[in-house]
């Protein structure tokens, strides 16, 4: 079949150019006679890789000097615990629960301190982003937590909550590098890279210096202290070397292709093609309130389970794969991350039209 258009929510598509570079460098990285997978994380070659990856990331995102960028293991889930362990100085934080991942983070935080549910969209199966202009936030909260793009339910914050001066913490796993952001608005943000950046096995954390504490309770494991990794530039122990290398190639690809502004335009164009058709379709409907629809993950249904299954099956035969929706939403989900070409979305929409015509 060759390469497919992979609409998986994650691990997800990577830019073909990046994969080809990795392929070309696989056996002999830049004359070292070895693969990045085989080299010491203390070698000069790897030191150059991680330093360049961080520098390129800072350029791409516009990370101010008073923020650290950390490349960590343990994915998104570990951050659900690491955030409260490190940031809950006064044992209290506010959580806005807009989906499965926000809920898991909220529950995890409750193990370390008081996690206050500030708002939730659970009443309507997380199909919208609640009004966050005047939440019951109190100054004794150490942070306010959001999941900025809800991978499963397909909602996205287009305006950050009013946190009333309390530091904002965001899980950006599934909108990572999809559009420009203003880093100063966050105390910390993190993302597992396997959604929109690189191969599974690495999370990137961006944290403001003053939130890195060395007065943590004894029980906090060495590896789960931001300070441990910040002091050693993510090289305290063996980092996820291969993941960092591929992320670095993706950063170079993004920089070469106009950075995050150009990426946002491309992602908006793709989402428009998809949602414009969805809005006029008589067979398919979106599950999310219009103004909250994610540019990255688009869930949709026909209303008939058997027809949904038929659609997913037939789409796969056309090289449009991983369109099955999450079990909690059902139907289909099209994830359109940075590496998904416009042509992939055009082909999906063309197939949907064809399918609709056949099933009127
Ligand atoms: C996938 C995902 C996670 C979980 O990531 P893991 O790396 O599998 O732990 C957390 N948050 C969001 C928004 C996600 O999409």
């Amino acid at each position: 079949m060759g390469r497919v258009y992979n609409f998986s929510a994650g691990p997800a598509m990577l830019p073909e150019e990046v994969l080809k570079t990795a392929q070309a460098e696989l056996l002999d990285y830049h004359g070292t006679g070895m693969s990045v997978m085989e080299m010491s994380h203390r070698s000069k070659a790897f030191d150059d890789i991680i330093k360049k990856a961080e520098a390129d990331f800072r350029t791409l995102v516009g990370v101010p000097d008073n923020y650290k960028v950390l490349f960590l293991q343990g994915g998104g889930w570990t951050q659900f615990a690491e955030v409260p362990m490190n940031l809950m100085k006064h044992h209290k934080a506010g959580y806005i629960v807009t989906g499965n991942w926000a809920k898991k983070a909220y529950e995890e935080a409750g193990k370390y301190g008081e996690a206050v549910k500030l708002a939730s969209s659970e009443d309507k199966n997380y199909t919208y982003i609640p009004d966050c202009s005047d939440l019951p936030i109190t100054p004794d909260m150490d942070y306010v937590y959001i999941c900025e793009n809800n991978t499963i339910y397909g909602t996205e914050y287009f305006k950050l909550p009013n946190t009333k001066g309390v530091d904002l913490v965001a899980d950006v796993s599934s909108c990572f590098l999809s559009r420009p952001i203003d880093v100063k608005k966050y105390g910390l943000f993190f993302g597992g890279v396997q959604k929109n950046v690189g191969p599974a096995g690495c999370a990137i954390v961006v944290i403001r210096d003053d939130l890195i504490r060395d007065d943590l309770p004894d029980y906090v494991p060495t590896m789960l202290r931001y300070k441990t990794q910040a002091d050693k530039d993510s090289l305290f122990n063996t980092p996820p070397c291969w993941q960092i290398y591929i992320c670095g190639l993706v950063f170079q690809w993004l920089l070469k292709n106009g950075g995050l502004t150009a990426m946002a335009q491309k992602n908006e164009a793709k989402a428009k093609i998809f949602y414009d058709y969805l809005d006029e379709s008589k067979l398919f409907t979106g599950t999310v309130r219009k103004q909250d629809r994610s540019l990255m993950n688009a869930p949709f249904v026909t209303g008939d389970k058997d027809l949904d299954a038929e659609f997913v099956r037939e789409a796969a035969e056309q090289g449009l794969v991983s369109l099955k929706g999450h079990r909690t939403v059902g139907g289909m989900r099209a994830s359109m991350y940075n590496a998904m070409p416009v042509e992939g979305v055009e082909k999906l929409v063309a197939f949907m039209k064809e399918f609709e015509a056949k099933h009127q």
Side-chain angles (χ1 to χ4, degrees):
M1 184 186 257
R3 299 270 303 161
V4 294
Y5 290 118
N6 177 6
F7 291 91
S8 169
M13 265 181 108
L14 287 168
E16 200 163 304
E17 216 181 300
V18 164
L19 296 176
K20 283 187 172 147
T21 303
Q23 182 181 43
E25 296 177 343
L26 187 65
L27 295 182
D28 177 7
Y29 177 79
H30 290 204
T32 56
M34 63 176 84
S35 169
V36 175
M37 278 187 262
E38 303 170 298
M39 64 177 57
S40 164
H41 59 295
R42 307 285 176 208
S43 65
K44 166 88 170 69
F46 187 74
D47 201 54
D48 290 347
I49 288 172
I50 191 169
K51 286 216 169 75
K52 181 156 174 51
E54 180 179 339
D56 286 345
F57 179 87
R58 284 182 174 275
T59 305
L60 260 181
V61 180
V63 180
D65 289 343
N66 63 327
Y67 284 75
K68 286 275 185 305
V69 176
L70 308 175
F71 296 94
L72 306 179
Q73 302 191 37
W77 257 102
T78 302
Q79 294 309 311
F80 296 168
E82 195 161 350
V83 163
M85 277 181 167
N86 283 265
L87 266 49
M88 267 193 182
K89 201 169 182 169
H90 306 94
H91 311 288
K92 191 172 175 183
Y95 278 72
I96 304 173
V97 181
T98 51
N100 202 44
W101 297 121
K103 191 174 179 188
K104 301 291 183 204
Y106 161 72
E107 287 167 356
E108 196 75 355
K111 298 181 176 177
Y112 306 98
E114 188 186 347
V116 180
K117 198 188 280 184
L118 295 168
S120 166
S121 50
E122 195 168 8
D123 59 334
K124 291 184 181 158
N125 200 32
Y126 302 119
T127 51
Y128 70 102
I129 299 287
D131 177 5
C132 297
S133 56
D134 186 18
L135 298 170
I137 295 165
T138 50
D140 59 342
M141 290 179 180
D142 290 311
Y143 58 88
V144 170
Y145 182 103
I146 62 168
C147 178
E148 198 161 330
N149 183 78
N150 296 282
T151 326
I152 293 173
Y153 298 92
T155 61
E156 182 167 0
Y157 285 82
F158 292 104
K159 187 171 185 276
L160 293 176
N162 171 11
T163 63
K164 304 185 177 177
V166 174
D167 283 321
L168 179 67
V169 170
D171 173 358
V172 300
S173 295
S174 51
C175 55
F176 218 179
L177 307 184
S178 68
R179 51 178 159 106
I181 63 166
D182 184 357
V183 176
K184 292 191 305 297
K185 292 189 171 148
Y186 303 81
L188 179 155
F189 62 88
F190 70 87
V193 303
Q194 74 273 25
K195 306 290 159 70
N196 201 18
V197 186
C202 179
I204 298 176
V205 175
V206 178
I207 178 171
R208 209 178 56 230
D209 286 340
D210 60 283
L211 295 175
I212 301 173
R213 292 165 55 199
D214 53 11
D215 61 342
L216 296 176
D218 278 347
Y219 68 77
V220 180
T222 308
M223 276 296 288
L224 297 185
R225 296 167 177 246
Y226 291 124
K227 188 160 174 37
T228 303
Q229 296 289 3
D231 283 352
K232 301 283 183 193
D233 297 322
S234 307
L235 287 162
F236 170 75
N237 69 326
T238 317
C241 299
W242 177 257
Q243 281 73 3
I244 293 167
Y245 160 65
I246 300 288
C247 287
L249 293 180
V250 171
F251 302 155
Q252 288 169 37
W253 177 78
L254 288 167
L255 286 168
K256 208 170 76 188
N257 286 286
L260 301 191
T261 305
M263 213 38 64
Q265 282 164 0
K266 180 182 159 191
N267 289 329
E268 276 160 25
K270 286 185 291 183
K272 183 166 167 28
I273 293 168
F274 184 82
Y275 287 126
D276 278 357
Y277 165 64
L278 198 62
D279 286 341
E280 71 181 39
S281 170
K282 298 206 166 44
L283 179 65
F284 300 103
T285 40
T287 55
V288 171
R289 184 167 75 173
K290 260 190 191 181
Q291 72 251 43
D292 301 322
R293 291 197 294 211
S294 165
L295 299 186
M296 296 285 100
N297 314 96
F300 58 104
V301 296
T302 64
D304 174 341
K305 274 193 181 133
D306 295 335
L307 202 55
D308 287 348
E310 188 180 328
F311 176 85
V312 171
R313 204 170 48 241
E314 288 184 11
E317 286 165 10
Q318 305 290 316
L320 303 162
V321 310
S322 310
L323 280 160
K324 191 175 188 310
H326 191 270
R327 64 193 141 71
T328 57
V329 181
M332 285 72 69
R333 172 176 49 171
S335 295
M336 303 173 280
Y337 297 121
N338 289 345
M340 173 61 67
V342 176
E343 300 78 59
V345 178
E346 284 170 348
K347 192 171 169 194
L348 172 62
V349 168
F351 176 72
M352 288 169 77
K353 284 183 180 162
E354 208 180 285
F355 190 86
E356 176 165 0
K358 218 169 65 187
H359 292 277
Q360 254 163 5

